[in-house]
């Protein structure tokens, strides 16, 4: 099956259509969709969505873009909810967490420091509960790597990876997988396409980041997990291998990145 390792199915762009989108994606072969939370207020929503769709699971975390309005109480709440959620088979990871040094406001010294503090605390939560992390690494690969080396969670995914080959290898050496999606479908995205074509196949997981990072044939419209099979076919074309090989390899990589997925997909 195809596994969408990163999809914000709870985003307002989907409105009341989220479960229908998951159902349609399932009919196209997307056997699992991982829905990461972005803030404490979203924890209940992602859990409810995952409970309502047979091909969905969820992660809990505080996204760096939401760090400016997050509080220390949110971090404490995350730790409590993670512990409570360990008994829920559809809970699979800590995420989306990380660092964002693209948005100017987030690059101001006070906000950089807050981002790092929140990231480190969430890495500790992941480590303490032996959970993988779904990391946001926009213009922050080296900084994310630094904190991961120091705190060492149980692996995870560098979501929407767009770094260098050396950075990719550094993540792989730390037990991470690399997320590829719609960005590699654009012919002008030369570096991302080289990475997708040349990195070890067993290090690559597929994702949509829906409703964002729409592939070339959808851009600038709303992305959807329904697009994942075609994104997978694009990866097969870039690597010159069969679609079935990509589907099987990306599934194995997703299960290696998030072992709690395995019972959900019958593996």
């Amino acid at each position: 099956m195809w596994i969408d390792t990163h999809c914000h199915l709870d985003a307002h762009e989907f409105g009341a259509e989220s479960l229908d989108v998951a159902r349609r994606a399932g009919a196209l072969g997307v056997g699992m969709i991982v829905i990461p939370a972005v803030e404490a207020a979203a924890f209940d929503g992602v859990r409810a969505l995952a409970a309502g769709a047979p091909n969905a699971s969820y992660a809990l975390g505080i996204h760096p873009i939401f760090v400016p309005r997050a509080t220390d109480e949110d971090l404490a709440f995350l730790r409590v909810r993670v512990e409570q959620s360990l008994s829920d088979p559809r809970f699979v990871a800590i995420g989306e967490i990380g660092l964002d040094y693209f948005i100017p406001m987030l690059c101001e010294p006070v906000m950089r420091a807050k981002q790092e503090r929140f990231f480190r605390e969430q890495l500790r939560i992941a480590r303490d509960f032996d959970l993988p992390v779904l990391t946001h690494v926009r213009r922050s690969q080296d900084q994310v790597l630094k904190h991961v080396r120091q705190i060492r969670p149980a692996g995870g995914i560098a979501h929407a990876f767009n770094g260098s080959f050396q950075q990719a290898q550094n993540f792989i050496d730390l037990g991470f997988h690399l997320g590829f999606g719609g960005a590699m479908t654009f012919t002008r995205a030369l570096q991302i396409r080289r990475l997708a074509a040349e990195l070890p196949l067993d290090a690559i997981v597929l994702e949509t980041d829906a409703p964002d990072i729409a592939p070339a044939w959808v851009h600038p419209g709303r992305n959807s997990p329904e697009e994942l099979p075609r994104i997978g076919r694009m990866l097969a074309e870039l690597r010159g291998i069969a679609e079935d090989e990509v589907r099987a390899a990306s599934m194995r990589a997703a299960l290696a990145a998030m072992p709690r997925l395995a019972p959900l997909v019958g593996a």
Side-chain angles (χ1 to χ4, degrees):
M1 67 177 67
W2 297 108
I3 296 180
D4 187 345
T5 61
H6 201 109
C7 172
H8 296 286
L9 199 59
D10 62 322
H12 68 87
E13 287 89 346
F14 290 110
E17 197 185 357
S18 297
L19 292 177
D20 287 337
V21 169
R23 177 185 54 77
R24 293 196 300 265
L28 295 170
V30 182
M32 184 53 57
I33 301 166
V34 181
I35 312 168
V38 294
E39 61 177 335
F43 292 174
D44 288 340
V46 297
R47 179 172 184 159
L49 267 180
N55 61 332
S57 56
Y58 68 99
L60 297 176
I62 301 170
H63 191 294
I65 291 176
F66 289 82
V67 162
R69 70 189 195 197
T71 66
D72 287 348
E73 287 74 19
D74 292 331
L75 285 172
F77 180 55
L78 173 62
R79 182 174 284 274
V80 169
R81 286 297 297 270
V82 166
E83 186 169 15
Q84 293 172 342
S85 299
L86 292 175
S87 61
D88 184 351
R90 294 192 175 272
F91 172 58
V92 297
I94 301 295
E96 179 177 356
I97 68 175
L99 300 170
D100 190 304
Y101 295 146
F102 173 76
I103 298 173
M105 183 268 289
L106 295 177
C107 297
E108 295 174 1
V110 170
M111 200 49 61
R112 284 177 70 104
K114 187 177 182 183
Q115 279 198 75
E116 292 199 19
R117 184 167 64 85
F118 269 67
F119 182 42
R120 289 180 66 85
E121 180 55 32
Q122 293 181 94
L123 287 175
R124 291 187 185 100
I125 292 171
R127 180 195 61 193
D128 292 349
F129 292 103
D130 196 30
L131 291 165
V133 291
L134 309 180
T135 57
H136 181 96
V137 297
R138 189 158 60 164
R139 294 196 182 172
S140 61
Q141 287 93 349
D142 287 337
Q143 294 86 351
V144 167
L145 282 162
K146 178 186 76 172
H147 296 299
V148 167
R149 285 192 187 99
Q150 292 173 354
I151 297 176
R152 293 296 179 105
I157 296 171
H159 154 59
F161 186 75
N162 185 20
S164 67
F165 279 91
Q166 181 178 353
Q167 288 166 331
Q169 189 59 54
N170 288 337
F171 275 109
I172 293 168
D173 290 344
L174 289 167
F176 273 62
H177 291 73
L178 309 169
F180 286 83
M184 71 177 171
T185 67
F186 291 86
T187 56
R188 67 178 183 275
L190 299 179
Q191 173 67 358
I192 295 176
R193 289 164 74 90
R194 279 194 295 268
L195 289 162
E198 298 176 20
L199 286 172
L201 184 58
D202 62 4
I204 293 175
V205 296
L206 292 172
E207 61 181 30
T208 60
D209 198 30
D212 299 321
I213 315 186
W217 53 86
V218 173
H219 183 80
R222 184 191 76 181
N223 198 6
S224 167
E226 299 161 89
E227 305 301 332
L228 193 72
R230 190 170 173 185
I231 290 171
R233 287 194 288 275
M234 175 62 74
L235 179 59
E237 291 175 14
L238 289 172
R239 299 184 71 95
I241 60 178
E243 177 185 335
D244 286 349
E245 186 176 351
V246 166
R247 181 168 55 241
S250 62
M251 177 180 169
R252 288 193 300 269
L255 299 182
M258 291 177 280
R260 286 173 65 95
L261 285 175
L264 296 176
V265 300

